[in-house]
Amino acid sequence: MKIYIPILFIALLSPVVLLAQTQPFSLEDCIEFALEKSTDIARSQNNVLLQSAYLEQSKASRLPNLQLGVNQQLTSTGNYNSIGGEWNRNSNSTLNASLNSQVTLYNGAKLKNTILQNRINLESAELNIQAERELIGLNVLSYYIDALLAIENLQNSQLQLEATQKQFAYAEVRSEAGIISRSDLLYIKSQLASDKTSKIEAESNMRITLVLLMQIMNMPINDSFNIQQPDIENIIKQNSENNPETVYNVALGLQPNIHTAELNVKSTEVEIKVAKSGALPSLMLNGGVGTGYGSNISNLNLGEQFSNSINPYVGLSLSIPIYQQKQVKTQVKTAQIQTNNAKLELTDMKNNLRKYIEQACTDVQTAESNYTALQEQFEAEQESYDVASEMFSQGMVNSVDFLLSKNNLIIAENKFTQAKYKLVLQNKIVEYYLGKPIEL
């Protein structure tokens, strides 16, 4: 029974585990999985920990330090005795101990500005995590929509194949009855073979897109992996803002990359102050206590010598830089150049953001126009195919004309499907710039 009970438990649990593994992933599930497996996110988190350590260390620099020093020394000296006319050697052992402390009273606000700079760098590192998360979300979104397109293309191919199979079965009956010619039957048979090939290609393309999606998620290839299919028609009906100026003004206050660039400018500006402090005087408060023991004092033991030889001290130390071989001047100049570069980088990022948004809004407008036009074309080809199919069943058109209408419908349907998912992707990109979550 001790053996059978665990086996029974595993057997009951296996369907639950299998169900959890094969349940379709939503876009949110895919993004969350990619974030958990992302090494870029892990590196960004490590950078946050590193900057946090720098900040704590700079804060601790304002506190006094404390050092304990112990020194033991054995000396041996030779002395000449002129009375006895001989050399004597005397040995002496000394043990010294000291406890010292030092605190900075003033150093040109270097400590204060260093703390401020490290605090800015920490905030910038935290924003980098958000930027990495959003970039991963956009990448997963693109591959997810590619997979949805491939799945719908496969479904369309399956429906087209089933329709052709029905037409071929109907044509075989009519051919045996002598209603249609042998050539008409062969045309439909050829179309059937073509539709089978198209379906196989659609299956292959769907597997490839799912594999690419799993790879962008850092998920090992799993044949049971599948994704949820949202209501695309309802998503398309949700109109989004596509005015570039409006979107840019909103995105400017939301994009973490812009905030990071602004913080980099502030950090380099503080670096200038830190560099300038090297040319200012520094004032230190010093204090300590020392004691010692010497073996040459034979009438006092170790404890007595230590307690009676205590020498406390306290003092101020002022350091005024006079000539530093242009080191401070060079550091200030370097910091000023870095500040200018940071400002140029911020300008470039704002310009690039504006360009990306302008392109995204233009793509949305183009995608909407193409979607509307191709929808009309698809509906017209659908009507034409329905008429041709009815006429073919009545023997009013031959198979060549019927298959021409069918192929036109397939082409229109494929173009319309592509336009539909492209419109969804472009709308979601604009919504991202507006600060909306990446979801379907």
Side-chain angles (χ1 to χ4, degrees), residues 51-89:
Q51 296 301 328
S52 179
Y54 289 153
L55 176 59
E56 293 303 317
Q57 192 277 325
S58 61
K59 289 180 179 179
S61 298
R62 297 177 299 183
L63 304 175
N65 64 357
L66 186 63
Q67 294 180 343
L68 174 65
V70 179
N71 177 40
Q72 183 176 13
Q73 187 174 4
L74 178 65
T75 60
S76 178
T77 59
N79 300 312
Y80 180 73
N81 188 345
S82 59
I83 299 176
E86 60 182 7
W87 288 89
N88 297 319
R89 181 165 293 278

Side-chain angles (χ1 to χ4, degrees), residues 93-310:
S93 176
T94 59
L95 177 64
N96 299 310
S98 63
L99 188 64
N100 305 307
S101 180
Q102 186 181 61
V103 61
T104 302
L105 299 180
Y106 176 77
N107 65 346
K110 183 177 181 179
L111 288 177
K112 176 183 176 181
N113 289 322
T114 300
I115 293 172
L116 176 59
Q117 186 180 33
N118 287 334
R119 186 175 287 115
I120 293 173
N121 293 339
L122 175 59
E123 185 178 355
S124 176
E126 291 171 343
L127 284 173
N128 280 333
I129 294 180
Q130 181 182 349
E132 289 290 347
R133 292 176 64 90
E134 292 179 356
L135 180 60
I136 291 174
L138 287 175
N139 287 334
V140 173
L141 171 66
S142 177
Y143 283 90
Y144 194 92
I145 289 181
D146 284 343
L148 289 176
L149 172 60
I151 291 173
E152 184 161 336
N153 282 336
L154 175 59
Q155 293 171 349
N156 293 338
S157 297
Q158 179 64 36
L159 293 176
Q160 293 161 7
L161 176 59
E162 292 174 357
T164 305
Q165 287 173 336
K166 292 179 180 179
Q167 291 292 344
F168 179 69
Y170 182 65
E172 278 186 318
V173 174
R174 298 182 66 194
S175 176
E176 292 175 358
I179 300 175
I180 63 173
S181 64
R182 178 66 176 173
S183 60
D184 284 340
L185 179 63
L186 293 177
Y187 276 128
I188 297 179
K189 186 177 182 179
S190 175
Q191 182 65 42
L192 179 60
S194 177
D195 288 351
K196 289 180 180 179
T197 302
S198 297
K199 180 177 178 294
I200 293 173
E201 292 175 351
E203 289 176 340
S204 176
N205 186 53
M206 185 196 70
R207 285 194 295 269
I208 290 173
T209 56
L210 290 176
V211 167
L212 292 175
L213 177 57
M214 285 185 281
Q215 289 177 341
I216 200 68
M217 295 165 54
N218 288 323
M219 174 188 287
I221 302 302
N222 184 356
D223 292 337
S224 63
F225 175 77
N226 201 359
I227 60 175
Q228 295 180 7
Q229 299 181 51
D231 188 354
I232 296 298
E233 301 298 335
N234 185 50
I235 294 175
I236 290 177
K237 294 177 182 178
Q238 301 172 3
N239 296 326
S240 60
E241 177 66 51
N242 58 14
N243 180 274
E245 184 177 357
T246 303
V247 177
Y248 175 72
N249 290 332
V250 174
L252 201 59
L254 297 176
Q255 285 293 298
N257 288 334
I258 300 296
H259 291 325
T260 300
E262 292 172 343
L263 291 174
N264 288 339
V265 173
K266 292 181 180 180
S267 178
T268 54
E269 289 174 344
V270 175
E271 180 64 26
I272 296 176
K273 297 179 181 179
V274 173
K276 287 182 177 180
S277 65
L280 300 176
S282 60
L283 182 63
M284 312 290 291
L285 175 63
N286 304 291
V289 60
T291 187
Y293 163 81
S295 62
N296 58 344
I297 305 177
S298 57
N299 59 334
L300 295 177
N301 59 29
L302 177 66
E304 291 175 327
Q305 290 193 40
F306 264 53
S307 61
N308 289 280
S309 300
I310 295 176

